[in-house]
Amino acid sequence: MPKQTFLNLPEEKRAAFLNIALDEFASNEYNRASITKIVEKAGIAKGSVYQYFQDKQDLFLYLVDVSNQALMGFIQQTPPPDPSADFFQTLRWQMSATVLAAQRFPVHAKLLRRAYSSPLPFQDEVFEKAKQVRDQHFQVLVAQAQLTGQLDSRYRPEMVVFVVQSLMGELGNFLQGKFKDHPGNWVGLPEVDATFDEVIEILKSGLA
């Protein structure tokens, strides 16, 4: 977590430093990301970073937090087209919103992909941070859906959250891999919509 010295910085200076750090870690594997390059671009002394954060790992984990919050905040602040949508309609909308969030915050999304796929000595902590953010979001949705009878209350809420969160967490990577060679914006492709619809149908009907 950032030290009070960092939190006391003017908002503009704090944001500028974070943008530079986000770009450096998103563009390089963790071991190759350079604190020296960050401070050079920020125009500050190298020692300043260690007045802001404990070490490189501490800074990186904070950037993971910032990125998770940026993407989840975009999703939560974008209301569904239909306020009366049920659980599955809301989840279907969130699939599109999640992909749009990654496009709205491409550097944040790129950093998170590196964080989840790179062999880091503190990988468990990275996954736990992401899980906590998504858990809080889906726990509310699942609890409301079970309370209103939209989801089967026989299933433990934590297991429903686990299944939904696991699926949502991997869906973006699946689509990125599938459409990585497609020129331009692929979010609105019929194939993408069909993928979202198929996933929702699988969740609604089950695999048995």
Side-chain angles (χ1 to χ4, degrees):
M1 293 298 293
K3 297 180 181 180
Q4 194 61 42
T5 310
F6 181 74
L7 300 176
N8 288 340
L9 289 175
E11 183 177 350
E12 185 176 337
K13 189 172 182 179
R14 201 166 60 238
F17 175 84
L18 286 178
N19 286 336
I20 292 168
L22 280 164
D23 186 64
E24 177 65 17
F25 279 101
S27 302
N28 300 280
E29 295 295 338
Y30 175 79
N31 289 335
R32 296 187 175 217
S34 170
I35 297 295
T36 300
K37 289 183 180 179
I38 291 173
V39 298
E40 286 177 352
K41 291 179 181 178
I44 60 176
K46 191 169 186 177
S48 298
V49 174
Y50 302 103
Q51 292 178 348
Y52 299 161
F53 296 91
Q54 186 71 29
D55 50 27
K56 182 179 179 179
Q57 177 178 323
D58 191 34
L59 169 59
F60 181 75
L61 289 173
Y62 180 66
L63 294 175
V64 169
D65 277 346
V66 168
S67 298
N68 276 317
Q69 294 293 344
L71 296 179
M72 189 58 71
F74 177 87
I75 295 168
Q76 292 174 334
Q77 291 170 16
T78 307
D82 182 2
S84 62
D86 67 13
F87 175 82
F88 293 104
Q89 291 169 328
T90 300
L91 197 62
R92 169 62 178 82
W93 162 80
Q94 283 195 351
M95 290 176 181
S96 297
T98 298
V99 176
L100 287 173
Q103 291 196 322
R104 170 65 178 80
F105 296 96
V107 177
H108 297 73
K110 187 176 180 181
L111 181 142
L112 289 176
R113 286 196 296 274
R114 284 195 182 278
Y116 301 150
S117 62
S118 300
L120 301 171
F122 47 93
Q123 192 76 61
D124 288 347
E125 193 169 351
V126 171
F127 283 128
E128 184 59 29
K129 284 180 174 292
K131 181 177 181 297
Q132 287 174 359
V133 174
R134 292 197 297 262
D135 270 359
Q136 292 171 0
H137 175 69
F138 288 119
Q139 281 167 1
V140 174
L141 289 180
V142 168
Q144 291 175 340
Q146 287 191 320
L147 189 64
T148 56
Q150 297 173 32
L151 290 179
D152 196 329
S153 59
R154 292 177 301 171
Y155 300 126
R156 288 177 293 156
E158 60 266 30
M159 288 306 301
V160 179
V161 169
F162 169 75
V163 170
V164 172
Q165 194 210 122
S166 299
L167 187 152
M168 294 291 282
E170 286 299 320
L171 189 55
N173 290 334
F174 172 79
L175 291 171
Q176 289 281 356
K178 189 174 179 64
F179 297 105
K180 64 181 179 180
D181 296 326
H182 187 278
N185 187 346
W186 48 262
V187 173
L189 290 176
E191 296 96 321
V192 175
D193 282 332
T195 298
F196 292 153
D197 291 338
E198 186 174 7
V199 169
I200 289 298
E201 189 58 37
I202 290 172
L203 283 175
K204 288 177 74 173
S205 61
L207 294 174

